[in-house]
Amino acid sequence: MEQPSADTMIAIEGLAKRFVLHHQGGAEIPVLAGLDLTVRAGECVALVGPSGVGKSTILRCLYGNYLASAGHLWLRHDGRMVDLAALEPQAVLALRRQTIGYVSQFLRVVPRVPALDIVAEPLIADGLDEAAARRRAADLLSRLRIPPALWPLAPATFSGGEQQRVNIARGFAVAQPILLLDEPTAALDDGNRRTVVAMIGERKQAGTAIVGIFHDEAVRDQVADRLFDIAAARQAA
Amino acid sequence: MTGADYNFAYLDEQTKRMIRRAILKAVAIPGYQVPFAAREMPLPYGWGTGGIQVTAAVIGPDDVLKVIDQGADDTTNAVSIRRFFRRMAGVATTEHTAEATIIQTRHRIPETPLAAGQILVYQVPIPEPLRWLEPRDTETRRMHALRDYGAMQVNLYEDIARHGAIAKSYDYPVLVNGHYIMSPSPIPKFDNPKMDRSPALQLFGAGRERRIYAVPPHTPVRSLDFDDYPFTVQRWDECCALCGATDSFLDEMIMDDRGSRLFICSDSDYCRGRQGAGEAAE
Amino acid sequence: MTGSGPILTAEGLGHDFGRRMAFTAVDLALWPGEVLGIVGESGAGKTTLLRGLSAQLTPCRGRVLYGDRQGRQIDLYAQSEAERRLLLRTDWGIVHQNAADGLRMNVSAGGNVGERLMAVGERHYGQIRARAADWLARVDLDVGRLDELPSSFSGGMQQRLQIARTLVTAPRLVFMDEPTGGLDVSVQARLLDLLRRLVGQYGLAAVVVTHDLHVVRLLAHRLMVMKGGLVVESGLTDQVLDDPQHPYTQLLVSSVL
């Protein structure tokens, strides 16, 4: 990669992603090709484009959930740039713990695990003791207006909005320097939407580099410093 | 009938050598069960075929033999084995523990302390102490080799959990020389302490299972237990009705249909000796 | 996931039953605190591989290294059997699919949990019993059933008892073969929850063999997919399940209801 500036947190170079469906005649579905994107500390980049253009795919590649077919995914980890696309799974896990936070579109609920524990889990994995992790988790859930009566319950029975807020609390629990947001406000009412916007603003202030998908244009305008149009980028490439 | 047509002590010399080799190995590895090619003997399995082969392999013309069954010299099994060796080896026999050079026993150790130079031969029905928890022989042998004895201790744990104490009262497992767990044969646990560092040589023969094992003189023999549930032996409130002994293993006798009971020494020689001493003193 | 190196390493591991290959060319490294899932259909060689990794079967090819508490890398099958067995009683634990294979069914729950303590020389009945009771509670079993036989327990309870029996000596590495196999779905969920909690709480490293993708999704950090004795794909669990590369993995993932 070229010498990155000191505040570069993410540098995607020539990212390609295609899916090969072996059981459908080896059909190849190209989603991304030759994609470049740089995100600096404290910057929020909103991915835009019609549905199916590959917005979520970019986030998933950045999280190591999808394998890049080609290209580099440079992320600043422990003070230096590492290429996620070339890392061993073991190292990707360390990256996720310390460097990349991810709020997915839907909460993947673990059966029987209480909401409070779901939020506290990444904090404990990050090395916080259990009591402190639970306090921090409780703060986040309070701020996102999850009533304390729900904390000891497993979120499987929660409403969509409640599940999404538990998911946001979990994603924001550890303040990793890179944050990926996939439609974080989709199922939320106005009050909670404002809270999430405020939380995103605080993280930007703290220097977090954010890449997100926001269908809600009002939210997008409030948090995004820059739009990245995938369709346009593809034509340019 | 005389023993003239038979080899000395019934077994042929090759067989005796084979058994002696097994005994030597057993003595060299205290508590380890040595397989041997047990022969057919002129008595049924369970009547002491293992013990009788061990005795036949170690007995010489100058030996004095004592045979006891449950401590008594005068029960059928003891009488017939004693007569067998009188005929087949022409050896002297005795009922006095102190006079015997070889004592073959079923289910007891004599009360009179054994001395250096004496050999105690045990008849053993089931030599494998781990048999109840592991039916496979290959596996029990491996457990012994690796001293994988947790399961044995579990047996005792279960007793305490169920009965509040270790209920096993005979064939109580022992650890020999800090290595092998060994079945002492179905002697009462009362006799277990007598095995520890005994000056006599203790040989064990299992005919049906074809195993010989040994405790050489002065070998430590420890009965398994827990720190907070130490090994104890049976005690009686009564004393022997015949000799008044308070330190011997007592058999309970039902005297009549009304349930009158009497306790007498299981070791008949010991009891007679005490009675004789008592009369002499009077 | 600390420590000076992997807790378990396999290099070129392979085994044949006569002329039939069970598994071959398996390389893996497991780190302290990490859970590795092995999935594949029946006959893929998963269970045989697990046995080969866990000193239950000597593989024909390759070697297995264990990184012990002192940071040494020990060649498992160059050890004497006595040393391997000691490892199995102390640092390692095995959870069998059938609780009956991992439990003594004619021994009380307390005796089952206490056995491993007694096997490493614990000789105080009161302490053994107290620790057994403590572990029954940790796996959500009623302490009042300490003296009952496992045969009076339900399948899920037996499995939890087996886990307590395995973890009582604080092993660092646990091998599990279909730990939730044969249990009702609701019982499975509860058991998985327990395993997740225990693995996290005690920083256990684990190898989990299963054909159930839900189990690995919840339990395993990393995943190995086996077919016909070969590892066809491996990677982070969520990556392998969400973006499977190999035709067989795609079939496996798409077959989940």
Side-chain angles (χ1 to χ4, degrees), chain A residues 106-126:
Chain A
F106 302 104
L107 177 63
R108 189 161 247 149
V109 288
V110 181
R112 300 177 57 90
V113 176
L116 191 70
D117 291 0
I118 289 180
V119 179
E121 194 179 65
L123 288 161
I124 293 167
D126 194 43

Side-chain angles (χ1 to χ4, degrees), chain A residues 14-169:
Chain A
L15 173 66
K17 178 61 189 171
R18 41 182 189 275
F19 294 95
V20 181
L21 305 179
H22 292 285
H23 295 281
Q24 287 162 39
E28 217 172 284
I29 303 173
V31 179
L32 300 172
L35 187 123
D36 297 322
L37 171 64
T38 305
V39 186
R40 294 190 313 278
E43 186 182 28
C44 175
V45 174
L47 304 178
V48 294
S51 118
V53 77
K55 299 189 291 292
S56 286
T57 302
I58 294 176
L59 295 187
R60 283 168 175 261
C61 286
L62 279 171
Y63 195 60
N65 180 233
Y66 282 179
L67 288 181
S69 306
H72 302 283
L73 296 157
W74 298 100
L75 302 173
R76 187 172 297 279
H77 172 67
D78 257 353
R80 60 196 181 83
M81 299 301 274
V82 294
D83 184 3
L84 178 80
L87 288 181
E88 290 293 315
Q90 186 61 35
V92 175
L93 284 176
L95 216 66
R96 287 181 181 180
R97 268 197 313 281
Q98 292 175 39
T99 303
I100 323 171
Y102 178 44
V103 177
S104 58
Q105 209 168 343
F106 302 104
L107 177 63
R108 189 161 247 149
V109 288
V110 181
R112 300 177 57 90
V113 176
L116 191 70
D117 291 0
I118 289 180
V119 179
E121 194 179 65
L123 288 161
I124 293 167
D126 194 43
L128 211 57
D129 74 73
E130 213 165 297
R134 281 161 178 276
R135 275 197 303 277
R136 168 115 178 92
D139 289 345
L140 279 160
L141 289 173
S142 299
R143 189 170 180 195
L144 287 158
R145 297 183 189 81
I146 301 286
L150 294 184
W151 298 355
L153 304 180
T157 55
F158 293 9
S159 74
E162 284 163 346
Q163 289 197 11
Q164 178 63 325
R165 280 179 278 146
V166 172
N167 203 19
I168 291 166

Side-chain angles (χ1 to χ4, degrees), chain B residues 46 61-62 65 157 183 193 200 220 242 248 273:
Chain B
D62 300 332
L65 179 70
Y157 172 98
S183 157
L242 301 179
S248 70

Side-chain angles (χ1 to χ4, degrees), chain B residues 71-206:
Chain B
D73 296 87
D74 52 4
T75 51
T76 315
N77 193 224
V79 169
S80 58
I81 291 174
R82 195 160 54 230
R83 194 172 57 194
F84 174 81
F85 279 111
R86 242 190 339 253
R87 283 192 183 175
M88 291 297 139
V91 295
T93 60
T94 181
E95 298 193 354
H96 297 302
T97 301
E99 285 174 8
T101 56
I102 299 173
I103 304 167
Q104 181 170 333
T105 177
R106 174 173 174 268
H107 299 189
R108 274 312 308 275
I109 299 176
E111 305 290 1
T112 309
L114 299 179
Q118 287 184 305
I119 300 176
L120 185 60
V121 178
Y122 297 76
Q123 300 171 196
V124 181
I126 298 168
E128 181 49 76
L130 305 173
R131 179 63 67 234
W132 78 274
L133 31 98
E134 176 52 63
R136 288 169 297 178
D137 218 42
T138 49
E139 189 57 25
T140 55
R141 267 182 262 168
R142 190 174 287 132
M143 289 165 79
H144 282 298
L146 303 174
R147 299 168 65 183
D148 191 354
Y149 289 142
M152 193 73 227
Q153 202 76 19
V154 169
N155 194 6
L156 305 181
Y157 172 98
E158 289 293 285
D159 265 9
I160 301 175
R162 279 182 208 160
H163 312 295
I166 297 171
K168 204 165 178 55
S169 58
Y170 65 94
D171 204 357
Y172 191 105
V174 292
L175 186 70
V176 179
N177 204 25
H179 188 126
Y180 289 103
I181 285 185
M182 184 188 90
S183 157
S185 86
I187 58 171
K189 68 176 180 175
F190 179 88
D191 287 340
N192 273 21
K194 297 175 189 164
M195 308 177 78
D196 184 32
R197 295 182 169 82
S198 168
L201 169 64
Q202 303 174 73
L203 301 177
F204 299 77

Side-chain angles (χ1 to χ4, degrees), chain C residues 50-61:
Chain C
L50 191 79
R51 289 165 53 78
L53 289 172
S54 58
Q56 299 178 84
L57 168 142
T58 306
C60 303
R61 294 176 293 281

